[in-house]
Amino acid sequence: MGWYDISQICLNGHVITDRAKSSPEFMKKYCTKCGEATITSCQHCDTPILGDYQVEGITAISLSKPKAPGFCHECGHPYPWTLRKINIAKELGDELDNLSKEDQDKFKSTLDDLVTDNPRTELAVIRFKKIMSKVGKDSYEAIKSILVDIVSETVRKSIFGN
Ligand SMILES: [Zn+2]
Ligand SMILES: [Zn+2]
């Protein structure tokens, strides 16, 4: 039987370690990438953030960089980095000058549905793509770099291609 280790992640979503329990020597109070404070549990319900899955006697060396989960598996609350990125993307929505006010609002309203998997996600994807076809390349790239880490893989593929 295996068990889940605990992840330590900074408030901006940089994963410090996904083995805070078994290798506490990797833990850091502050993020070395951005200087933000780090957390090991949900700020809403205090449940530890799931880390690497450990199996007794087997040391798995994972090649992929651990990804920060978007939502708490216990209470469903978005983690701070998810909220921050959604809010930044919404602010960016107001800067998209070549969009009408209506499209700016539509853009902002798709964001909450893009980061979760719910029945409205598909609709949000279609709306998002329509609006993206109207923004310039720089805005598109900026929006992509904010959203790429917080949307699900399916959404990422259908809105950004890969
Ligand atoms: Zn950081
Ligand atoms: Zn929670």
Side-chain angles (χ1 to χ4, degrees), residues 82-144:
T82 310
L83 282 178
R84 281 186 183 187
K85 285 178 183 168
I86 295 174
N87 286 336
I88 295 169
K90 284 182 181 171
E91 272 182 54
L92 195 62
D94 291 327
E95 305 299 323
L96 302 174
D97 292 333
N98 43 351
L99 293 186
S100 64
K101 180 85 183 70
E102 194 196 342
D103 274 345
Q104 287 183 349
D105 289 342
K106 255 191 200 164
F107 168 81
K108 287 187 267 182
S109 73
T110 63
L111 295 168
D112 292 309
D113 289 324
L114 285 181
V115 300
T116 60
D117 254 319
N118 73 64
R120 295 180 59 84
T121 305
E122 199 96 342
L123 175 66
V125 165
I126 292 167
R127 280 196 180 145
F128 182 86
K129 281 207 246 184
K130 266 191 193 162
I131 295 166
M132 283 303 100
S133 69
K134 297 178 193 172
V135 305
K137 195 173 184 305
D138 287 350
S139 306
Y140 175 86
E141 289 301 329
I143 294 162
K144 183 176 172 182

Side-chain angles (χ1 to χ4, degrees), residues 9-16 30-38:
I9 303 173
C10 92
L11 295 176
N12 281 328
H14 298 121
V15 180
I16 310 297
Y30 294 95
C31 178
T32 49
K33 281 191 181 126
C34 71
E36 259 298 358
T38 59

Side-chain angles (χ1 to χ4, degrees), residues 6-98:
I6 297 172
S7 275
Q8 186 182 44
I9 303 173
C10 92
L11 295 176
N12 281 328
H14 298 121
V15 180
I16 310 297
T17 175
D18 61 353
R19 296 177 180 191
K21 211 167 169 180
S22 59
S23 306
E25 68 273 21
F26 294 137
M27 290 174 76
K28 296 186 180 91
K29 252 189 186 163
Y30 294 95
C31 178
T32 49
K33 281 191 181 126
C34 71
E36 259 298 358
T38 59
I39 56 169
T40 52
S41 60
C42 171
Q43 293 179 309
H44 195 68
C45 73
D46 237 20
T47 302
I49 304 166
L50 284 187
D52 199 28
Y53 189 69
Q54 306 278 9
V55 181
E56 206 66 57
I58 297 174
T59 312
I61 298 168
S62 84
L63 296 171
S64 59
K65 215 169 78 191
K67 197 175 174 262
F71 298 83
C72 173
H73 64 281
E74 191 62 33
C75 71
H77 221 75
Y79 284 122
W81 46 89
T82 310
L83 282 178
R84 281 186 183 187
K85 285 178 183 168
I86 295 174
N87 286 336
I88 295 169
K90 284 182 181 171
E91 272 182 54
L92 195 62
D94 291 327
E95 305 299 323
L96 302 174
D97 292 333
N98 43 351

